């Protein structure tokens, strides 16, 4: 973590997450953007929107493992419900759904459980998840969407990469929404 990101275990930190996919399945991206402008994003050449949403949540948690009060804002009810209600049940049932079908995204769910359990083992409270409406003017969510869409564009070129301000890239100016892209103007 860089020196300007929260480092004290008493800090409260708000981060928004999002996922994007060009087609579903298709080239996908994920992102998180923090209230101080720190951010991370990644591209997956072949994925789904749900994979992008879950990876945004996973990286938001693991990239802020030392933040005592981590608040994650997401527009994905799927990601929120998976983390808060479903993943432990899936594990108890041997990674099959109640309909006895294999659980989608098992590897990511296992990593989310490990991240949650690591916070608990460190004596940190569970992550607070807040649902926000996507594409409704929520500034941090708009920035997370912008970063996830950009990452999915790289994924469409076959690139599997992760970018982050925590390793030297410039922070975002999150006081206002990101510039509107052509996709936003055309109603996506």
């Amino acid at each position: 973590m860089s020196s300007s990101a929260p480092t004290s275990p008493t800090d409260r930190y708000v981060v928004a997450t999002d996922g994007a996919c060009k087609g579903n399945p298709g080239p996908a991206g994920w992102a998180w953007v923090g209230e101080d402008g720190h951010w991370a994003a990644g591209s997956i050449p072949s994925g789904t929107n749900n994979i992008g949403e879950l990876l945004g949540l996973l990286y938001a948690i693991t990239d802020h493992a030392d933040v005592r009060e981590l608040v994650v804002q997401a527009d994905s009810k799927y990601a929120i419900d998976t983390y808060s209600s479903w993943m432990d049940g899936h594990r108890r049932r041997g990674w099959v759904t109640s309909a006895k079908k294999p659980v989608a995204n098992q590897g990511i769910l296992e990593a989310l459980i490990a991240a949650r359990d690591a916070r608990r083992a460190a004596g940190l409270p569970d992550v607070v998840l807040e649902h926000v409406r996507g594409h409704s003017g929520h500034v941090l969510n708009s920035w997370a969407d912008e970063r996830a869409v950009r990452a999915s564009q790289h994924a469409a070129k076959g690139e599997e990469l992760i970018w982050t301000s925590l390793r030297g890239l410039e922070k975002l100016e999150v006081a206002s929404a990101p510039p509107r892209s052509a996709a936003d103007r055309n109603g996506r």
Side-chain angles (χ1 to χ4, degrees), residues 30 32 38-41 63 162-170:
W30 61 265
W32 63 257
H38 275 293
W39 63 277
D63 286 349
I162 294 176
W163 303 266
T164 180
S165 64
L166 299 179
R167 292 195 297 266
L169 293 177
E170 192 170 315

Side-chain angles (χ1 to χ4, degrees), residues 56-184:
L57 176 58
L58 175 63
Y59 280 93
I61 294 169
T62 58
D63 286 349
H64 302 96
D66 61 343
V67 175
R68 174 163 287 289
E69 292 182 50
L70 181 60
V71 178
V72 177
Q73 299 174 333
D75 63 9
S76 170
K77 289 290 286 171
Y78 168 76
I80 290 170
D81 290 344
T82 296
Y83 187 83
S84 61
S85 302
W86 301 337
M87 64 187 188
D88 289 316
H90 290 319
R91 179 173 59 177
R92 275 192 307 275
R93 285 190 301 276
W95 297 106
V96 293
T97 66
S98 55
K100 304 297 181 209
K101 295 186 178 186
V103 169
N105 310 317
Q106 178 182 339
I108 301 170
L109 301 187
E110 289 174 328
L112 281 166
I113 289 170
R116 182 207 53 209
D117 291 351
R119 285 185 62 80
R120 289 177 176 174
L124 297 172
D126 285 342
V127 171
V128 174
L129 299 173
E130 294 179 353
H131 182 255
V132 298
R133 280 191 56 221
H135 311 286
S136 65
H138 185 279
V139 174
L140 283 183
N141 178 260
S142 294
W143 275 108
D145 177 67
E146 187 270 346
R147 294 283 114 165
V149 168
R150 249 189 219 212
S152 71
Q153 292 167 347
H154 285 276
K157 300 175 195 171
E159 300 171 352
E160 187 164 356
L161 300 167
I162 294 176
W163 303 266
T164 180
S165 64
L166 299 179
R167 292 195 297 266
L169 293 177
E170 192 170 315
K171 290 172 37 174
L172 299 171
E173 178 51 58
V174 296
S176 59
R180 289 177 51 116
S181 70
D184 290 331

